[in-house]
């Protein structure tokens, strides 16, 4: 089996294992599987300037997710707090489907993705020309397009069936489209790139490590907005960081 096939098979196996015991973490991973599948197809269809770099990004990104699963299941002390919250709430039968899904997306994008992009850019950034750096950013932006094209599939194949199964029929349609396209994809991934570039451009290692740790706190701040911020917090959960800071919500 190919590397891509192994990754998709691992996701499928984990989803089946969780579904067999009623573990709601299966919901996020089922969505992530569809998006990963579409990303792999995008690489194969030549949609990226550097398909090898994007293919590595896909697998490194998934690696952070599976590391978080393993750390949570063995109660590791080094598990990012934002993942602790997301996984803990997935265990609660009263957690609404969309909220559970968004908490997983938040942890994976606003924590994991910053780490992955910084990991991949740090060794090469000083040697990349301005044009080369722009191509990296353009590939990052193209991911937004590919993910956006996957939303309907996720809605139809994952969100709606799980919503019916979990008796959240009123949340089966609508919110995922609004949040993922208008908030999460556009705003969060722009923030992710900015945070990763700040890390990469920071000359001393201790400060870079501090900036990496701070991404957990930033992602966790979004969780608290959703859970404790009332109606405004639920809306602001998806705002870009510069808006949140302007509103003094961060």
């Amino acid at each position: 089996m190919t590397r891509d096939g192994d990754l998709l098979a691992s996701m499928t196996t984990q989803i089946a294992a969780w579904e067999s015991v009623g573990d709601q973490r299966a919901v996020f991973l089922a969505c992530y599987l569809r998006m990963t599948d579409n990303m792999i197809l995008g690489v194969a269809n030549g949609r990226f300037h550097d398909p090898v770099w994007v293919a590595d990004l896909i697998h490194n990104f998934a690696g952070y997710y599976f590391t978080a699963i393993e750390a949570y299941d063995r109660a590791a002390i080094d598990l990012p707090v934002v993942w602790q919250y997301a996984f803990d709430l997935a265990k609660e039968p009263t957690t609404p489907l969309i909220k559970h899904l968004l908490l997983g997306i938040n942890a994976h994008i606003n924590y994991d993705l910053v780490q992955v992009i910084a990991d991949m850019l740090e060794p090469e950034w000083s040697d990349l020309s301005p044009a080369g750096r722009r191509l990296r950013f353009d590939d990052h932006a193209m991911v937004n397009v590919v993910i956006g094209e996957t939303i309907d599939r996720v809605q139809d194949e994952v969100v709606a069936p799980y919503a019916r199964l979990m008796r959240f029929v009123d949340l089966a349609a609508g919110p995922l489209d609004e949040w993922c396209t208008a908030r999460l994809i556009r705003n969060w991934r722009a923030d992710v790139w900015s945070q990763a570039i700040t890390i990469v451009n920071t000359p001393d290692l201790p400060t870079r490590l501090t900036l990496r740790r701070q991404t957990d706190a930033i992602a966790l701040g979004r969780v608290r907005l959703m859970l404790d911020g009332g109606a405004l917090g639920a809306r602001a959960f998806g705002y870009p960081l510069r808006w949140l800071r302007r509103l003094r919500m961060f």
Side-chain angles (χ1 to χ4, degrees):
M1 188 178 290
T2 65
R3 180 172 71 150
D4 292 341
D6 285 342
L7 174 57
L8 297 175
S10 294
M11 290 181 168
T12 301
T13 299
Q14 184 63 73
I15 291 166
W18 279 339
E19 287 180 337
S20 70
V21 295
D23 190 324
Q24 294 185 58
R25 286 181 291 177
V27 179
F28 170 77
L29 185 52
C31 295
Y32 185 28
L33 169 65
R34 270 70 174 183
M35 292 186 176
T36 300
D37 187 36
N38 221 32
M39 280 293 300
I40 290 170
L41 184 61
V43 170
N45 289 341
R47 300 188 68 177
F48 298 96
H49 298 293
D50 190 338
V52 174
W53 190 84
V54 175
D56 287 342
L57 176 65
I58 292 168
H59 287 267
N60 293 341
F61 192 32
Y64 267 85
Y65 175 70
F66 281 106
T67 296
I69 293 170
E70 190 273 335
Y72 182 79
D73 287 345
R74 63 180 173 85
I77 61 173
D78 57 346
L79 174 68
V81 180
V82 69
W83 270 123
Q84 183 78 46
Y85 266 82
F87 289 148
D88 281 349
L89 286 172
K91 289 183 174 180
E92 298 293 333
T94 58
T95 301
L97 175 63
I98 295 299
K99 183 175 289 187
H100 158 54
L101 179 57
L102 291 175
L103 290 173
I105 294 172
N106 171 60
H108 200 34
I109 290 180
N110 288 314
Y111 179 79
D112 291 348
L113 189 56
V114 179
Q115 311 303 320
V116 171
I117 292 177
D119 288 346
M120 295 182 66
L121 291 182
E122 274 184 344
E124 66 173 13
W125 193 248
S126 61
D127 296 325
L128 286 174
S129 66
R133 293 178 179 185
R134 181 67 196 184
L135 291 178
R136 288 285 184 261
F137 175 77
D138 287 347
D139 278 344
H140 175 76
M142 178 54 68
V143 173
N144 300 349
V145 177
V146 174
I147 291 175
E149 293 169 354
T150 316
I151 295 299
D152 285 345
R153 181 183 174 193
V154 167
Q155 182 83 16
D156 294 342
E157 296 180 9
V158 180
V159 176
Y162 271 107
R164 287 192 294 270
L165 179 65
M166 297 164 63
R167 298 183 181 179
F168 292 129
V169 179
D170 57 320
L171 294 178
L176 182 65
D177 290 329
E178 176 185 353
W179 280 93
C180 284
T181 57
R183 301 273 194 261
L184 309 186
I185 294 175
R186 184 179 66 243
N187 296 337
W188 287 5
R189 286 180 56 86
D191 285 343
V192 161
W193 184 264
S194 177
Q195 290 177 75
I197 296 304
T198 297
I199 292 169
V200 169
N201 283 328
T202 298
D204 64 292
L205 178 59
T207 305
R208 289 202 304 274
L209 294 176
T210 297
L211 290 171
R212 282 178 177 265
R213 288 192 295 269
Q214 286 175 352
T215 60
D216 191 12
I218 291 170
L220 188 60
R222 292 190 182 277
V223 172
R224 289 172 175 151
L225 279 175
M226 172 186 275
L227 299 181
D228 305 323
L232 177 59
R235 289 181 59 82
F237 172 76
Y239 287 2
L241 284 175
R242 67 183 186 280
W243 288 19
L244 293 174
R245 287 167 178 152
R246 192 176 303 161
L247 292 168
R248 299 184 179 179
M249 301 183 76
F250 252 46

